């Protein structure tokens, strides 16, 4: 069994990005610039955004953090998006989700210029990905594809089961895995799927992205399967300093011994997400997606 090291792979990808920034500077170019918009003070969002800002510093990007309190109106936020769309110094920006209930996330995401949508959430980027055009691909699926490539996991003709059909993880995963060149035969499962256990048991590759701690058990996985665990559920623990621990969607102790490859939680898919966002920003600064 190979334990896929997402932390190390993310560090390698980030150091490749940092090298590229050095080259850009040497050639007298402008360093990539990412902005993040944070609304309110949700603990998880604060952590994600500060992780993104710190990662920018690590690779030599310029970063800008724009904060609003949670009472910001939808139109104020949309004005901010328009300003960022028009800011020639900015290569890309993200609006950290979730947003407060009184603001339409769809409206905000669709107001972002697709050419600066480095989160890859805009319908134009999703559509371009579906038809196989160059696009900003949302960070978590992008990070998973990078792990699959860098660990040279065979995909051609393999039966792949994706559990979860969200717009940011499960659905794009199912599309990327079925693309020409990757060539998996994909089954996309969700909360209404019947016989999930039997379906999973047929799979060569399972991507678990449903957000239910330790859902995928040993009896659902065949010998030699590849298991990618996307889930992150925070649960109370008296064994950690913080009083919390993270669990994935996979019952690791049961599943890991049967696998050819598996990602742990934490240290698997999670660390790749930030590196993927930086990579998208670099692509944007080099005008490699929209030429
Ligand atoms: P979501 O809640 O938007 O979607 C969950 C999906 O799972 C839905 O499509 C639903 O149909 C399906 N589902 C729910 N119960 C099911 C069941 N019993 N059987 C089969 N399918 C079922 O979640 P999301 O945003 O896609 O996130 C999924 C998980 O991944 C969460 O734990 C989230 O925290 C985590 N996540 C991790 C990263 C990362 O960087 N590692 C990034 C994004 C999300």
């Amino acid at each position: 069994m190979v334990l896929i090291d997402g932390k190390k792979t993310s560090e390698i990808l980030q150091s490749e990005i940092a090298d590229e920034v050095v080259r850009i500077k040497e050639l007298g170019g402008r360093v990539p610039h990412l902005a993040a918009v944070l609304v309110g003070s949700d603990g998880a969002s604060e952590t994600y955004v500060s992780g993104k800002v710190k990662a920018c510093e690590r690779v030599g990007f310029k970063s800008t953090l724009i904060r609003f309190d949670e009472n910001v109106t939808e139109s104020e936020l949309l004005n901010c998006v328009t300003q960022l769309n028009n800011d020639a110094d900015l290569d890309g920006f993200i609006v950290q989700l979730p947003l407060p209930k009184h603001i339409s996330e769809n409206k905000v995401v669709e107001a972002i210029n697709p050419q600066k949508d480095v989160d890859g959430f805009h319908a134009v980027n999703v559509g371009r990905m579906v038809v196989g055009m160059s696009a900003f691909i949302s960070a978590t699926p992008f990070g998973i594809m990078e792990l699959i490539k860098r660990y040279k996991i065979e995909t051609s003709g393999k039966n792949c089961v994706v559990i979860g059909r969200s717009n940011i993880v499960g659905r794009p995963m199912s599309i990327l895995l079925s693309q020409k060149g990757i060539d998996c035969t994909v089954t996309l499962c969700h909360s209404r799927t019947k016989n999930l256990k039997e379906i999973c048991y047929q799979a060569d590759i399972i991507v678990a992205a449903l957000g239910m701690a330790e859902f995928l058990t040993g009896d659902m996985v065949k010998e030699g399967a590849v298991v990618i665990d996307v889930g992150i559920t925070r649960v109370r623990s008296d064994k950690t300093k913080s009083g919390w621990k993270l669990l994935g969607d996979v019952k690791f102790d049961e599943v890991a011994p049967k696998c050819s490859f598996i990602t742990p939680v934490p240290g698997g898919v999670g660390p790749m997400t930030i590196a993927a966002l930086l990579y998208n920003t670099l692509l944007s600064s080099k005008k490699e997606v929209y030429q």
Side-chain angles (χ1 to χ4, degrees), residues 169-203:
V169 188
R171 197 176 296 281
M173 249 353 280
S174 72
I175 290 160
L176 293 168
L177 287 161
S178 63
Q179 265 179 346
K180 240 184 170 30
I182 303 295
D183 301 322
C184 285
T185 305
V186 179
T187 306
L188 181 57
C189 299
H190 44 78
S191 52
R192 301 293 176 92
T193 298
K194 295 201 167 71
N195 306 326
L196 185 64
K197 183 174 166 185
E198 288 75 12
I199 295 170
C200 287
Y201 200 76
Q202 301 297 319

Side-chain angles (χ1 to χ4, degrees), residues 205-252:
I205 301 171
I206 300 175
V207 179
L210 68 159
M212 290 179 75
E214 300 188 323
F215 176 88
L216 192 80
T217 47
D219 56 347
M220 299 170 83
V221 178
K222 75 173 179 188
E223 284 294 333
V226 175
V227 172
I228 308 288
D229 189 353
V230 187
I232 302 176
T233 306
R234 222 161 64 113
V235 294
R236 283 264 171 220
S237 167
D238 50 18
K239 292 196 181 101
T240 62
K241 224 165 92 184
S242 65
W244 294 95
K245 69 173 177 177
L246 299 182
L247 289 178
D249 286 348
V250 176
K251 204 163 173 53
F252 187 86

Side-chain angles (χ1 to χ4, degrees), residues 15-25 282 286 288:
S15 79
E16 290 166 4
I17 294 169
D19 289 348
E20 187 64 24
V21 175
V22 170
R23 267 194 294 278
I24 290 171
K25 277 190 192 159
L282 177 66
K286 292 163 72 183
E288 284 190 10

Side-chain angles (χ1 to χ4, degrees), residues 80-96:
C80 170
V81 168
T82 305
Q83 276 174 26
L84 297 176
N85 283 340
N86 295 329
D87 183 344
D89 186 53
L90 206 57
D91 298 295
F93 65 98
I94 60 153
V95 179
Q96 184 66 41

Side-chain angles (χ1 to χ4, degrees), residues 114-167:
Q115 301 192 20
K116 290 192 173 179
D117 167 43
V118 285
D119 252 342
F121 292 168
H122 193 286
V124 167
N125 279 310
V126 177
R128 286 172 69 105
M129 173 193 67
V130 170
V131 297
M133 291 169 71
S134 64
F136 292 120
I137 292 168
S138 87
T140 303
F142 182 101
I144 295 170
M145 294 310 293
E146 208 54 31
L147 287 175
I148 288 175
K149 282 179 199 159
R150 290 182 184 232
Y151 276 81
K152 298 189 168 46
I153 293 171
E154 219 185 299
T155 51
S156 181
K158 299 292 181 189
N159 284 327
C160 179
V161 169
V162 178
I163 316 173
R165 59 178 162 187
S166 73
N167 287 340

